[in-house]
Amino acid sequence: MSFWPYYGLKRGIQTTPWPATEEQTPGVTPGRPQASQVVNAEALAQGCPTGALQAVAAGVAVDFARCIHCQRCRHGDNALHWSEDFTWTSTGGIGLPPLGSRFRRSLHVLYIDAGACGACVNEVRLIDAPAYNLHRLGIFITASPRDADVLLVAGPITDAMRTAIGKAYAAMPEPKRVVGMGVCSMNGGIFGESFACAGGLGKIIPVDVWIPGCPPPPLAILHGLLTVVGRAIPTALKEQP
């Protein structure tokens, strides 16, 4: 144990400098496909298991609300180029503005697992790790909806969690915002809509911000939370070639 302080001083600060500077560390994001012109767009679109790729006149369009990062379109002779970005956040169409300046260094987040497979919760756990350190951004995790400014939900919204989410949302003080994390929260993902799943968070409560991905990496989650307070810029859910 006595060697740990020595190793810490020797290695120095390992926390990402993002968003103050650009993130250059390899492996922080799985990337995602980019819409582009391809030779056989129809065949490439048919090979997508979730319908995220759509053949259009100019090539292949990408619907990030359905992309699960299976990487089938990343390989082969007719592969798409994959970007290395992680700024995936999109607004939910509710029209509510970002939270005021008083929340920019004091944002409290309540995370709810609404039937997720476990991938999203593992990524959420990492945003509090030394490599990402959400506290440096003024973001904190809370266990009580009465202390929460943001409700972060992952999963296809199973039947057992519908009431719990509604109660948590009702208990949150105004102003409050809702963030749907992962494609499962957007439309049910690979689970879809059934007697067991609502098929999307927007069918239960209003959603302000979406973070697509399956799962979104830690920096994408932080980008989404920073978007809530106006410290980051959202992107489009669909990309045209």
Side-chain angles (χ1 to χ4, degrees), residues 145-209:
R146 291 180 173 85
D147 297 328
D149 308 305
V150 174
L151 184 62
L152 178 65
V153 182
I157 322 301
T158 56
D159 186 62
M161 293 302 297
R162 298 186 194 190
T163 301
I165 290 175
K167 287 184 176 181
Y169 179 75
M172 293 172 61
E174 295 285 354
K176 56 188 175 184
R177 298 292 184 268
V178 177
V179 177
M181 173 186 170
V183 295
C184 284
S185 72
M186 304 180 77
N187 49 49
I190 60 173
F191 303 102
E193 182 179 356
S194 68
F195 70 95
C197 298
L201 181 60
K203 297 183 179 181
I204 306 299
I205 56 176
V207 181
D208 303 288
V209 168

Side-chain angles (χ1 to χ4, degrees), residues 29-36 38 44 48 50-54 60-75 78-85 88 213-214 236-241:
T29 173
R32 60 181 186 176
Q34 285 186 309
S36 59
V38 293
L44 192 62
C48 179
T50 61
L53 302 182
Q54 300 171 356
V60 173
V62 182
D63 184 357
F64 297 121
R66 297 186 177 277
C67 179
I68 59 171
H69 307 281
C70 68
Q71 302 199 29
R72 292 187 184 184
C73 62
R74 194 170 191 172
H75 307 285
N78 204 27
L80 293 179
H81 178 263
W82 277 49
S83 67
E84 296 299 326
D85 70 305
W88 300 350
C214 188
L237 268 180
K238 294 185 178 181
E239 188 177 87
Q240 301 291 334

Side-chain angles (χ1 to χ4, degrees), residues 94-163:
I94 303 302
L96 294 178
L99 292 174
S101 59
R102 67 183 62 184
F103 293 92
R104 292 197 171 193
R105 302 298 302 183
S106 181
L107 187 71
H108 290 74
V109 180
L110 172 63
Y111 172 74
I112 293 183
D113 181 348
C117 66
C120 281
V121 67
N122 285 333
E123 300 299 318
V124 170
R125 290 172 59 188
L126 286 175
I127 65 176
D128 196 22
Y132 301 102
N133 187 15
L134 78 168
H135 294 162
R136 68 189 170 90
L137 301 173
I139 303 173
F140 307 90
I141 301 296
T142 180
S144 172
R146 291 180 173 85
D147 297 328
D149 308 305
V150 174
L151 184 62
L152 178 65
V153 182
I157 322 301
T158 56
D159 186 62
M161 293 302 297
R162 298 186 194 190
T163 301

